[in-house]
Amino acid sequence: MYEFKDEFERKEKKFKIYIFLFVISVLIHTFIDVFDLGIEKVSGVGIVISLLFFCVILYFGLRRKFWAEVMIKFFVWLNIILLFLIITVKILGL
């Protein structure tokens, strides 16, 4: 189906926000892994593999592959939920 210009712009803006949040969440995830904030133990090789995985997803997401866009949205929401859980646990001291 054809889209109106404002619909396309709205979808494009939403996509750019997801890409931005994906990059930010990957950076936060890497920061947590590198400085080992008590979440999980990951070796240096695991960090490199996860960064490579995220780069592949980002590459295909920017090429507008449907499966990559779904994975980007999934990772963004998963990381947002996990960050809220981490903050809650740190505040409550559990």
Side-chain angles (χ1 to χ4, degrees), residues 24-42 47 79 82-83 86-87 90:
I24 295 298
S25 66
V26 167
L27 291 175
I28 291 172
H29 177 78
T30 305
F31 176 80
I32 288 172
D33 284 346
V34 167
F35 293 107
D36 192 33
L37 297 178
I39 309 305
E40 60 184 34
K41 291 233 181 233
V42 178
I47 293 171
N79 283 323
L82 288 176
L83 284 175
I86 290 169
I87 290 170
K90 292 290 183 180

Side-chain angles (χ1 to χ4, degrees), residues 1-18 64 69 73:
M1 295 293 282
Y2 294 107
E3 295 179 341
F4 292 112
K5 184 179 179 184
D6 57 338
E7 289 180 54
F8 176 75
E9 290 173 355
R10 188 175 63 243
K11 285 183 180 180
E12 192 67 25
K13 184 177 179 182
K14 193 175 179 181
F15 176 73
K16 287 180 181 180
I17 289 172
Y18 271 113
R64 299 293 185 144
E69 289 181 18
K73 290 178 183 178

Side-chain angles (χ1 to χ4, degrees), residues 64-94:
R64 299 293 185 144
K65 300 295 182 186
F66 177 75
W67 62 269
E69 289 181 18
V70 170
M71 289 185 76
I72 287 172
K73 290 178 183 178
F74 172 76
F75 277 117
V76 166
W77 284 107
L78 179 70
N79 283 323
I80 288 172
I81 291 169
L82 288 176
L83 284 175
F84 279 127
L85 286 174
I86 290 169
I87 290 170
T88 304
V89 167
K90 292 290 183 180
I91 289 174
L92 296 177
L94 297 175

